[in-house]
Amino acid sequence: MEAYRVHVLVSAVEREGRFAYGIVIRSGRGRVLRQLGRAVEGDDVRGVLLRAVLRALWIARRYGRTVRMALDHPEVVRWLSHTEEVAPQFLGTYLQIRALVHTYRRVHVGLASEEERGRSQRVARHFLGEPARPADSPLWAGSYASTA
């Protein structure tokens, strides 16, 4: 069985109506390849997390074609694992994620461990003070800040 070449940790956080996400991309051996995040407009942490997953998959293509994603929201994990129906307001982003997943050899989505959740949430909290970008901005709009 082929080991996962890329491990992607993704979290979304909310504080006082402000949203941000954090992404940590690690090699299969645990070395941090990239950390990034963004403050975004939104009204639901699940939608922000789905946008972060989309961005993480877009970036992780540079590092390998077998990916293990660890997310911090159980409902979103169930959506992406096809064990629960996606809420209608998130269907557009979900379908973009599904299309991008097909560019990989293998993608596994699971719930983040405490250590993984802590790492990606720290990155996300770092961006809570930044100006928020519109939630519907395309992936290629502007530059994404990095903490690495």
Side-chain angles (χ1 to χ4, degrees), residues 15-138:
R15 184 185 327 137
E16 299 171 1
R18 295 184 50 83
F19 293 90
Y21 62 75
I23 300 169
V24 178
I25 301 174
R26 299 190 305 195
S27 70
R29 295 184 176 182
R31 185 172 64 93
V32 174
L33 301 171
R34 190 160 178 194
Q35 294 185 130
L36 62 144
R38 173 180 257 187
V40 294
E41 293 176 358
D43 57 2
D44 191 311
V45 74
R46 297 171 302 170
V48 172
L49 183 59
L50 284 172
R51 287 195 48 77
V53 167
L54 185 60
R55 181 64 182 163
L57 285 170
W58 185 265
I59 292 170
R61 294 182 314 156
R62 301 174 189 156
Y63 301 108
R65 295 292 182 200
T66 56
V67 175
R68 177 187 167 271
M69 295 197 82
L71 311 179
D72 67 348
H73 198 289
E75 186 176 19
V76 175
V77 170
R78 291 191 301 270
W79 292 346
L80 297 178
S81 300
H82 313 292
T83 58
E84 189 174 293
E85 193 170 314
V86 178
Q89 67 268 33
F90 306 118
L91 197 54
T93 306
Y94 170 79
L95 291 173
Q96 291 178 58
I97 291 168
R98 293 300 309 146
L100 196 51
V101 162
H102 289 294
T103 66
Y104 286 89
R105 199 171 293 130
R106 182 172 47 163
V107 175
H108 172 78
V109 178
L111 196 57
S113 69
E114 287 298 318
E115 182 270 328
E116 292 170 329
R117 183 178 302 123
R119 178 97 190 225
S120 55
Q121 285 182 351
R122 275 192 302 277
V123 173
R125 282 192 298 270
H126 173 80
F127 290 94
L128 273 173
E130 306 264 323
R133 294 189 183 238
D136 62 349
S137 62

